[in-house]
Amino acid sequence: MAKQAKQKRDLYQEVTDKIIAQLEKGSAPWLKPWADDSAQALVGFPHNASSARSYSGVNVLLLWMAEMENNFKASSWLTFKQAKELGGNVIKGQKGSMITYWSTFKKENSLGEKEEIPFLKSYTVFNIEQCENLNTDKLKTVKAYQQPEGFAHVQEFIDATGANITHGGNKAFFAPGPDKIAMPHPEQFNDLENYYATLLHELTHWSGSKKRLNREMGKRFGDNAYAAEELIAEMGAAFLCAQHGLTGELQHADYIQTWLKVLKEDKRAIFTAASKATKAAEYLTQFNEAQQLAA
């Protein structure tokens, strides 16, 4: 009897299903992932404790979900092999978390030329709280972000972009034509933290204009293009909030059903959106970094 062929894993679908499950609970995997119930601040971005490299794109969402589900207080992660290289080991019985990365293989085309074909792979990482006996002198962990008093650091970050921001009215939005961000006055918000979280959301929209990142969503997402752009802005703002120690809120909860529709129709949509959100956050951060270098 012939052996049954091993079913090939569909990593796109696996990751998308995880995001869908979270959204169907009425929450989002990028919502307030950097503080636990005791209000002990966590590092904004998950990072590798061997290399200190921050994860990006959809891996941020996957590891934030793992941190929330397991109530981890650390955002430091290692592979099984890295834990051994650091003199320790993964505690017996601990379950790792899946993250993804791109790899390539060579394939001959119709012209007889070798082409690099990209494909998605996965590997497993463990939170340092799931490990023991690690050589702490070799660990490259990042200290928990300590928010400075007040919000001057966030305002400096925003000012460095040079974005045209006007105040007045009762709506927050980015207007592409005049290329400006409209915001209600800060005192109209429940608190300044919500004001800045909202402004970072609109600033993420601002980053996608034609003369900046030129984020064209229409061709890929069709009628869902507007919702896809909102998804990018939500994640981009969450990344920036984490970077600055803010507890951001879901700006447009009414989009959850539309996002679910987008994700269910396109299993690669969350990868595209998370990648573009990472690029938006990096683009906005470079203004502040350039200003600091010039100082």
Side-chain angles (χ1 to χ4, degrees):
M1 184 176 178
K3 289 184 179 180
Q4 187 175 1
K6 186 178 179 181
Q7 188 173 6
K8 187 178 179 181
R9 289 181 70 184
D10 188 339
L11 293 176
Y12 292 107
Q13 197 63 59
E14 283 185 39
V15 171
T16 297
D17 287 346
K18 285 177 180 285
I19 307 297
I20 286 173
Q22 188 70 34
L23 287 171
E24 286 182 334
K25 293 177 184 177
S27 184
W30 56 87
L31 184 62
K32 295 183 180 178
W34 48 90
D36 65 11
D37 292 337
S38 65
Q40 178 179 350
L42 297 180
V43 168
F45 282 94
H47 62 277
N48 185 277
S50 177
S51 66
R53 180 181 61 83
S54 292
Y55 295 100
S56 62
V58 76
N59 287 336
V60 178
L61 307 184
L62 291 172
L63 294 179
W64 270 350
M65 284 193 291
E67 289 172 23
M68 287 189 286
E69 289 168 3
N70 296 283
N71 199 28
F72 293 139
K73 291 182 173 62
S75 287
S76 304
W77 298 83
L78 292 166
T79 64
F80 188 91
K81 181 181 178 182
Q82 286 172 334
K84 289 186 68 176
E85 290 171 348
L86 289 170
N89 58 277
V90 174
I91 298 170
K92 189 175 180 180
Q94 289 294 314
K95 183 180 179 182
S97 300
M98 180 188 78
I99 58 176
T100 64
Y101 70 102
W102 287 97
S103 187
T104 60
F105 68 92
K106 290 184 178 181
K107 184 179 180 180
E108 191 172 288
N109 62 22
S110 58
L111 299 175
E113 301 168 331
K114 295 286 185 179
E115 290 183 329
E116 291 280 346
I117 309 297
F119 68 102
L120 195 66
K121 295 187 72 173
S122 71
Y123 63 102
T124 302
V125 291
F126 298 86
N127 192 277
I128 59 169
E129 293 179 24
Q130 298 176 286
C131 304
E132 60 186 359
N133 305 317
L134 297 173
N135 185 336
T136 55
D137 292 335
K138 292 184 178 181
L139 277 178
K140 294 181 180 177
T141 56
V142 181
K143 291 183 179 180
Y145 186 94
Q146 298 299 316
Q147 180 177 312
E149 187 175 349
F151 298 92
H153 63 299
V154 189
Q155 189 62 56
E156 288 174 7
F157 174 88
I158 293 166
D159 290 344
T161 66
N164 180 13
I165 302 168
T166 61
H167 290 85
N170 297 312
K171 292 184 178 180
F173 60 91
F174 167 61
D179 194 28
K180 73 174 184 178
I181 294 170
M183 288 286 294
H185 291 287
E187 56 268 24
Q188 292 176 253
F189 289 80
N190 292 332
D191 53 50
L192 273 177
E193 198 161 23
N194 281 328
Y195 166 78
Y196 280 111
T198 302
L199 184 46
L200 290 174
H201 176 102
E202 300 307 332
L203 202 59
T204 305
H205 281 310
W206 176 86
S207 75
S209 75
K210 288 184 178 180
K211 60 183 177 182
R212 286 180 277 276
L213 291 178
N214 192 25
R215 221 164 28 237
E216 291 287 348
M217 304 300 294
K219 293 179 182 178
R220 171 67 185 277
F221 293 101
D223 293 339
N224 295 321
Y226 186 80
E229 171 62 22
E230 283 297 333
L231 183 58
I232 293 167
E234 287 284 351
M235 288 190 285
F239 295 165
L240 292 170
C241 281
Q243 182 178 319
H244 291 94
L246 301 177
T247 52
E249 294 184 354
L250 194 62
Q251 298 294 324
H252 296 292
D254 51 324
Y255 274 104
I256 286 181
Q257 291 305 315
T258 309
W259 293 335
L260 283 169
K261 180 175 179 290
V262 171
L263 267 57
K264 288 177 179 179
E265 290 178 354
D266 183 355
K267 63 186 177 182
R268 300 192 182 203
I270 192 63
F271 289 83
T272 300
S275 175
K276 289 182 180 293
T278 294
K279 288 177 182 176
E282 290 174 346
Y283 174 80
L284 294 168
T285 299
Q286 73 179 0
F287 290 101
N288 191 250
E289 291 175 344
Q291 191 175 76
Q292 289 176 353
L293 288 172

